[in-house]
Amino acid sequence: QVQLVESGGGSVQAGGSLRLSCAVSVDTHGEIAWAWFRQSPGKGREGLASIFSDGRGPYYADSVQGRFIATQDNAKNTLYLEMKGLKLEDTGMYYCAARTGGWTLAPLSASQYNFWGQGTQVTVSS
């Protein structure tokens, strides 16, 4: 089992920065893939970044490449998503997720993940 709790969301002006955190609790063995997703109003869940426990990645969506950085701190059991140059279209609910069961060819696909946090809201205004 994997439990995830996001924090760090809030309101920010366009061009600003935020850092999201995801505290994780793991009660399973084997390789785990971690990912960040975003769901905007009226849209599906978009994969933003993925990183694997064996060191592969991170992999980024084109929409955030160069602006977002995903990291993991194993000592603190925490994932981070550093977001810079935020745009209006970055507004949405942000989720961290975990996939147990090894490698996937679609690390940014929501269907590949079986554990989810409750989400944290990010609102970017002009």
Side-chain angles (χ1 to χ4, degrees):
Q1 293 294 318
V2 180
Q3 294 181 322
L4 308 105
V5 180
E6 304 94 335
S7 61
S11 297
V12 63
Q13 287 192 322
S17 301
L18 275 177
R19 187 177 78 161
L20 305 183
S21 300
C22 177
V24 304
S25 175
V26 179
D27 186 19
T28 186
H29 298 285
E31 182 181 348
I32 296 178
W34 309 102
W36 288 94
F37 289 82
R38 173 175 67 208
Q39 187 156 19
S40 303
K43 297 185 179 180
R45 203 161 284 192
E46 177 188 11
L48 304 177
S50 176
I51 189 166
F52 285 73
S53 60
D54 66 357
R56 278 180 286 187
Y59 307 97
Y60 295 102
D62 290 344
S63 60
V64 303
Q65 179 77 48
R67 299 189 299 123
F68 291 10
I69 298 174
T71 57
Q72 57 181 347
D73 186 331
N74 293 326
K76 296 182 178 180
N77 293 323
T78 303
L79 311 172
Y80 298 100
L81 185 67
E82 192 80 37
M83 306 185 294
K84 298 180 180 180
L86 284 163
K87 304 176 181 180
L88 298 179
E89 53 264 40
D90 291 321
T91 293
M93 186 70 78
Y94 283 68
Y95 300 89
C96 59
R99 167 187 165 81
T100 57
W103 172 249
T104 170
L105 292 176
L108 296 181
S109 173
S111 65
Q112 300 299 302
Y113 291 82
N114 49 345
F115 294 97
W116 293 83
Q118 83 290 347
T120 186
Q121 177 69 33
V122 172
T123 302
V124 184
S125 60
S126 59

